[in-house]
Amino acid sequence: EAGVTQFPSHSVIEKGQTVTLRCDPISGHDNLYWYRRVMGKEIKFLLHFVKESKQDESGMPNNRFLAERTGGTYSTLKVQPAELEDSGVYFCASSQGGGSPLHFGNGTRLTVT
Amino acid sequence: GESVGLHLPTLSVQEGDNSIINCAYSNSASDYFIWYKQESGKGPQFIIDIRSNMDKRQGQRVTVLLNKTVKHLSLQIAATQPGDSAVYFCAENKDDYKLSFGAGTTVTVRA
């Protein structure tokens, strides 16, 4: 079974530019999550999709972040315009729901200069 | 807000010894806890989980202990191997889907 895949693995952009991160969950997993780890701190929840619907986006830091999951398959997370404090590792995870464990991708390391 | 935290940021262990990684949580309403292992360049990998109706659960070379009285969670690794070197996170499951992570403990295995 293929795991959660994320693209790109690394991204270096300048402040003010736009970046789009992509996540492909495990096939059949309706639940998809975005998390991020900033500056070696704890991993923080960003948002949760069930299929194509946003169930909880309470962790999104501000309106510069936009997540989508068209068709309930892969998801994208766009940061526009990027700021220095957005640097960190962005993780995507998926699960079958019903209390089953989350499976994480390897993350996208975003560096904003 | 309430959060999950870890007692120590680093742990150095001799190969072959047992490791114990500790975690304290503050949300007494949490009913599901998970340990994740993160190796360099990879995402968190599920190790073992435990629900609040249990106080101990064993896996392959790993044991998780839950003490609800003092809100303490620990991960025991038996016969620690070099491949166990990683950052270990405890996580608390809120609202049946939203994980709250601790800051992590970096485990280094000495040969």
Side-chain angles (χ1 to χ4, degrees), chain A residues 33 35 37 40-43 45 48 55-56 58 91 98-106, chain B residues 32 36 38 41-44 46 49 51 87 89 93 95-103:
Chain A
Y33 314 80
Y35 286 79
R37 189 181 188 200
K41 295 183 179 179
E42 61 267 29
I43 301 170
F45 169 85
H48 170 218
Q55 291 295 111
D56 183 347
S58 61
F91 292 106
S100 60
L102 273 62
H103 298 269
F104 284 81
N106 288 334
Chain B
Y32 181 49
Y36 283 93
Q38 186 181 7
K42 297 185 178 181
F46 172 86
D49 58 2
R51 297 202 175 270
V87 180
F89 294 94
N93 189 295
D95 306 321
D96 198 34
Y97 64 86
K98 184 187 298 185
L99 293 179
S100 179
F101 285 85

Side-chain angles (χ1 to χ4, degrees), chain A residues 12-61:
Chain A
V12 180
I13 61 173
E14 294 183 350
K15 175 182 174 180
Q17 290 186 322
T18 298
V19 63
T20 300
L21 314 180
R22 172 170 170 145
C23 168
D24 286 79
I26 293 172
S27 178
H29 282 191
D30 288 339
N31 293 269
L32 186 148
Y33 314 80
W34 284 98
Y35 286 79
R36 74 172 180 177
R37 189 181 188 200
V38 175
M39 290 295 291
K41 295 183 179 179
E42 61 267 29
I43 301 170
K44 291 280 195 181
F45 169 85
L46 295 178
L47 89 160
H48 170 218
F49 284 99
V50 175
K51 297 185 180 179
E52 68 276 8
S53 299
K54 291 177 185 176
Q55 291 295 111
D56 183 347
E57 52 185 331
S58 61
M60 296 288 263

Side-chain angles (χ1 to χ4, degrees), chain A residues 80-94:
Chain A
Q80 179 183 29
E83 297 290 343
L84 297 179
E85 64 264 26
D86 300 332
S87 295
V89 182
Y90 289 77
F91 292 106
C92 176
S94 72

